Amino acid sequence: MAVFAGQGDAGRSMRLLWRGSDGGSGPGLSVDVILDAAIEVADRDGMAALSMRAVGERLGRSAMALYTYVPSKAELVDLMYDRVLAELPVEYPMDGGWRVALRAWAEDVRAFFLAHPWVLQVSQARPVLGPNEFAMVETLLRVLRATGLDASVLRGVVGVVMQFVRGAAGVIAEARRAARETGMTDEEWWYSRSSVFEEVAPDFAVRFPLSAWIGSEEPPPVEGDECVPYLERDAVRNFAVGLDVLLDGVEAAVARARAGDG
């Protein structure tokens, strides 16, 4: 289920997003204290469990006590989304080149999404427009600027990289949710259907030869993935392969740009 940002009052949301820290370490309520509690609720129970009442209960307060600081759940989602993005690094060493730095950025962002999977439910159709959201993009642009590509090309590269990392994290997050919410592991699910599949589609390899071919060889094992569920393991491998292909594509674009300059 997608949650669309920017559904609250525009003026109140933007002023709260760009307010700076108002503390939050004291015994009383503040915007930051409320956001920290909301993030804890979403991390533990998911976006579906998030409500002003649930956050209030975590703080030992009523929902009404929160509205003085955060006008509604709509603003709450915007604020907690931007706040949690502050966990991401904003600097990457460039001594190994843009490719090494971009790989590190992609791996960090994927790990971030998996630590806070509810963030993936905040739709990108309506950006939050908060400072930490811009900081994430600025960090990526700082890495990619070293390629020397024009702004018009980099705009597309940023979009592709962001969508790739977000999508890859989403597959893993959904695989974990599927096992948790259905009570059935990937292996159990496939086992329950494999014999039936052979029965209902005995000519599968003839009808879909390329699908049969691509699934005929096991991918090389990855050290330490023996205990990782099948679908998640497959998604991790796909991320590694896809990231290499994406980086190769950026490198080819850089080579074309340089050849055109010459």
Side-chain angles (χ1 to χ4, degrees), residues 28-39:
L29 284 179
S30 71
V31 174
D32 290 339
V33 168
I34 292 168
L35 294 182
D36 287 342
I39 290 166

Side-chain angles (χ1 to χ4, degrees), residues 33-251:
V33 168
I34 292 168
L35 294 182
D36 287 342
I39 290 166
E40 289 172 2
V41 170
D43 283 348
R44 184 189 64 193
D45 300 323
M47 185 68 86
L50 181 69
S51 67
M52 299 296 276
R53 179 179 178 181
V55 177
E57 288 176 351
R58 187 166 188 84
L59 292 169
R61 303 295 185 93
S62 68
M64 290 302 296
L66 309 186
Y67 290 117
T68 301
Y69 303 88
V70 180
S72 73
K73 182 181 174 181
E75 285 88 1
L76 179 69
V77 170
D78 290 0
L79 292 167
M80 56 192 287
Y81 175 87
D82 196 69
R83 181 171 178 82
V84 79
L85 284 174
E87 294 179 8
L88 288 169
V90 294
E91 296 287 346
Y92 286 87
M94 299 298 295
D95 48 333
W98 65 264
R99 185 168 179 135
V100 172
L102 183 54
R103 182 183 297 279
W105 181 92
E107 290 173 349
D108 283 347
V109 173
R110 186 189 63 163
F112 164 81
F113 281 137
L114 295 177
H116 305 288
W118 57 270
V119 173
L120 293 165
Q121 292 179 252
V122 180
S123 172
Q124 298 300 283
R126 303 283 173 84
V128 170
L129 300 178
N132 293 317
E133 185 177 52
F134 279 106
M136 177 176 66
V137 177
E138 188 78 5
T139 301
L140 177 56
L141 281 169
R142 195 177 298 117
V143 170
L144 287 171
R145 188 71 179 90
T147 63
L149 291 170
D150 291 341
S152 59
V153 178
L154 280 185
R155 185 184 181 95
V157 173
V158 166
V160 169
V161 171
M162 293 283 288
Q163 291 163 22
F164 169 75
V165 176
R166 185 181 175 92
V171 172
I172 298 175
E174 287 181 8
R176 293 176 180 178
R177 277 185 56 216
R180 185 171 61 251
E181 294 181 14
T182 66
M184 183 179 290
T185 67
D186 293 342
E187 288 75 14
E188 290 169 341
W189 188 89
W190 282 106
Y191 182 78
S192 70
R193 282 158 175 73
S194 58
S195 59
V196 179
F197 190 78
E198 291 173 3
E199 175 188 331
V200 299
D203 59 344
F204 178 83
V206 175
R207 295 174 63 188
F208 308 102
L210 295 180
S211 297
W213 165 72
I214 203 168
S216 63
E217 294 187 15
E218 284 290 325
V222 177
E223 185 178 355
D225 71 353
E226 296 84 1
C227 297
V228 177
Y230 162 76
L231 186 56
E232 181 172 342
R233 186 168 63 242
D234 200 45
V236 169
R237 288 169 174 158
N238 291 345
F239 175 79
V241 172
L243 185 57
D244 278 337
V245 172
L246 195 157
L247 294 173
D248 289 345
V250 177
E251 203 156 353

